[in-house]
Amino acid sequence: MAVRVVIAGGSFGGLTTTYELRRHLGPDQAAITVISKDRRFTFVPSLPWVAMGRRRLEQISFDLAEPLAAKHVGFVHETITGVDTERKLVATQRGEHPYDFLVIATGHRSANEAVEGLGPFDGPGHSPMSAPEAEELRSAVQSLLEAPGPVVVGAAPGASCIGPAYELAFELDHLLRRRKLRHQVPITFLTPEPFLGHMGMGGAGKIRQLLEGELEERDISYATSAAVRKITREAVEVAGASPVPSVLSIVIPPLAGVEAVANSAGLANPKGFLPVDAHYRHQMAGGVYGVGVAVAMAPVGDTPVPVNFPKTGHMTEQMAQIAARDIAARIAGHGEVTPAELSARCVLDMGDRGAYMSVNPVRPPRNTIPTVSEGRHWLLAKRVFERTYLWHARRGRRMPTTFGW
Ligand SMILES: Cc1cc2nc3c(=O)[nH]c(=O)nc-3n(C[C@H](O)[C@H](O)[C@H](O)COP(=O)(O)OP(=O)(O)OC[C@H]3O[C@@H](n4cnc5c(N)ncnc54)[C@H](O)[C@@H]3O)c2cc1C
């Protein structure tokens, strides 16, 4: 009888795990079921482009049902409400799904309760952390174009997803210049990082110098070790400093695990993230794996204002591959795979140019010097990568991660 594998989540972690598992195991060996609350896969790194009006959601997403059916994978479009690790059952609003192996790739919940005013739907702040939030930001940006005023872009204490904050500051600057409105919009970048480009991983080569130069060239003022403590409709309040006037405050929140995981007995740490080992196996619950943003990762060290370790799409895919290969090896009776340290490659959109950054491993100290490069061609590469990734993913194919993000 086929082993039952349930994949919780249909994004980068869930889909990569599914495709990789299917590469190793046929339907007679593994009955795979993906459970996702979202019917569509969304290319999340393009959400800032949705916010800036440069993409529509339909262009960066696709329905999961067809590619999964083509791979003989079951698809359940439901919200998971909990996991019973004793009985090996995943509960949804409508039923229970038994598993022999479970891979949890449910991503994050924005912990907006951490700072008063974080939003968008529960406060005046904005952040494109999900498709509806990116659409909300798009209309807020349109309102800014109609009634220009000061803007704050940044990240809250404890944030781990800081790259998009830089992208949003640069993209907004670029948009405003194109509309000849930039002179009416002072932009302030507020980050909990101890220095620009720390990104929760202790920096990467010359990225700090690059970002300092780029922000200064564009008249974007910035403050590091900034602890945002309140967002109102008129300003952003920062600990130990005067409030920064702002009619549009885009502040990336700290993240937590989703409620279904956080509330399941014996599954998550106090923040709702999964404790996993180097194979991405859950440290306590047998047969359970965790990949992507859902897993717990310790910060690289103490910083005056907390900054958490990043969990990028590229890293998520590496975790998913390790987990999938480990499950496949165990099902086939080949023991376990050798885990690998995570590396990261990403391209930061700076509006008219891109900055490429490659670190191996992500966590310092490193034997290799990080690569940092900047130019128009990187922006083109980011656009090509988005299209190529979506082309492959909607056909049930996995992009080689060596390609970079
Ligand atoms: C604005 C933004 C820009 C980014 N830019 C980049 C970039 O340029 N490069 C890069 O490498 N990374 C980038 N990232 C990070 C990258 O998007 C994440 O690392 C990646 O999305 C993580 O994938 P995941 O599968 O772990 O989780 P997610 O993408 O968050 O997906 C979670 C999945 O779980 C499902 N789910 C959640 N809860 C439940 C539930 N209760 N029941 C059922 N299903 C559930 C969701 O529907 C979804 O399918 C960016 C992130 C953001 C927010």
Side-chain angles (χ1 to χ4, degrees):
M1 203 178 87
V3 174
R4 295 162 303 182
V5 185
V6 172
I7 313 280
S11 183
F12 294 99
L15 216 52
T16 305
T17 309
T18 303
Y19 291 168
E20 184 68 16
L21 268 175
R22 246 317 157 248
R23 241 162 49 84
H24 295 277
L25 301 169
D28 53 325
Q29 293 166 293
I32 308 174
T33 306
V34 172
I35 308 177
S36 174
K37 75 175 170 59
D38 291 307
R39 192 174 177 84
R40 295 179 76 80
F41 171 93
T42 298
F43 191 80
V44 178
S46 295
L47 290 180
W49 288 345
V50 171
M52 295 297 144
R54 282 162 52 194
R55 289 284 186 283
R56 293 187 315 278
L57 278 178
E58 318 83 82
Q59 293 175 299
I60 60 155
S61 65
F62 60 85
D63 196 310
L64 285 163
E66 207 179 301
L68 292 178
K71 293 266 158 196
H72 304 284
V73 170
F75 178 46
V76 177
H77 176 212
E78 287 173 27
T79 298
I80 295 167
T81 51
V83 177
D84 185 335
T85 54
E86 297 286 315
R87 293 164 61 219
K88 293 200 164 189
L89 289 174
V90 176
T92 66
Q93 316 122 302
R94 293 195 209 129
E96 290 184 332
H97 301 267
Y99 64 83
D100 300 303
F101 289 97
L102 166 65
V103 182
I104 300 178
T106 42
H108 77 275
R109 171 181 77 78
S110 292
N112 283 358
E113 67 279 6
V115 173
E116 190 181 338
L118 280 172
F121 303 120
D122 41 359
H126 306 267
S127 71
M129 298 301 291
S130 65
E133 290 169 315
E135 294 215 299
E136 188 280 339
L137 180 54
R138 179 168 54 194
S139 39
V141 169
Q142 286 307 314
S143 304
L144 178 80
L145 297 178
E146 283 154 26
V151 166
V152 164
V153 184
S160 52
C161 184
I162 296 179
Y166 285 98
E167 290 193 315
L168 288 158
F170 287 126
E171 287 168 7
L172 197 58
D173 166 81
H174 184 62
L175 175 66
L176 290 162
R177 277 179 210 284
R178 280 201 339 247
R179 301 290 177 99
K180 306 274 183 257
L181 292 171
R182 181 65 173 89
H183 66 297
Q184 296 180 51
V185 183
I187 303 181
T188 307
F189 185 77
L190 298 175
T191 178
E193 300 163 286
F195 53 85
L196 295 178
H198 179 283
M199 305 272 183
M201 58 180 176
K206 292 182 180 162
I207 192 71
R208 173 170 79 170
Q209 289 80 359
L210 187 143
L211 289 170
E212 273 175 6
E214 297 295 333
L215 289 175
E216 284 164 10
E217 189 175 83
R218 291 165 173 78
D219 297 327
I220 301 175
S221 35
Y222 58 84
T224 53
S225 294
V228 171
R229 64 174 186 203
K230 188 174 176 185
I231 300 164
T232 65
R233 298 208 175 274
E234 298 83 35
V236 173
E237 295 181 16
V238 182
S242 306
V244 185
S246 174
V247 297
L248 174 70
S249 308
I250 309 172
V251 181
I252 303 288
L255 306 183
V258 301
E259 278 166 13
V261 172
N263 298 338
S264 295
L267 210 53
N269 72 12
K271 284 187 178 169
F273 292 126
L274 302 160
V276 291
D277 67 13
H279 292 91
Y280 299 97
R281 294 179 200 149
H282 196 278
Q283 287 175 2
M284 283 87 71
V288 178
Y289 288 67
V291 300
V293 176
V295 306
M297 291 201 165
V300 291
D302 286 340
T303 46
V305 178
V307 185
N308 276 306
F309 196 68
K311 291 170 244 175
T312 66
H314 182 216
M315 291 161 70
T316 297
E317 297 228 312
Q318 295 166 69
M319 296 182 217
Q321 280 176 50
I322 294 169
R325 287 175 194 159
D326 195 60
I327 294 171
R330 287 169 73 187
I331 291 176
H334 297 149
E336 59 179 30
V337 295
T338 312
E341 268 215 79
L342 299 177
S343 60
R345 290 186 199 90
C346 54
V347 179
L348 197 84
D349 177 6
M350 296 194 298
D352 55 349
R353 277 166 277 169
Y356 172 76
M357 197 171 62
S358 163
V359 285
N360 186 12
V362 182
R363 199 175 281 277
R366 311 173 180 112
N367 279 326
T368 53
I369 292 187
T371 307
V372 175
S373 161
E374 176 254 331
R376 277 182 190 277
H377 57 290
W378 286 119
L379 191 51
L380 180 66
K382 193 170 172 86
R383 291 179 190 148
V384 170
F385 181 75
E386 174 213 55
R387 302 250 162 115
T388 319
Y389 189 100
L390 282 162
W391 191 91
H392 278 78
R394 63 161 64 93
R395 285 165 181 75
R397 299 186 197 168
R398 198 180 54 70
M399 283 270 295
T401 49
T402 42
F403 195 84
W405 284 61

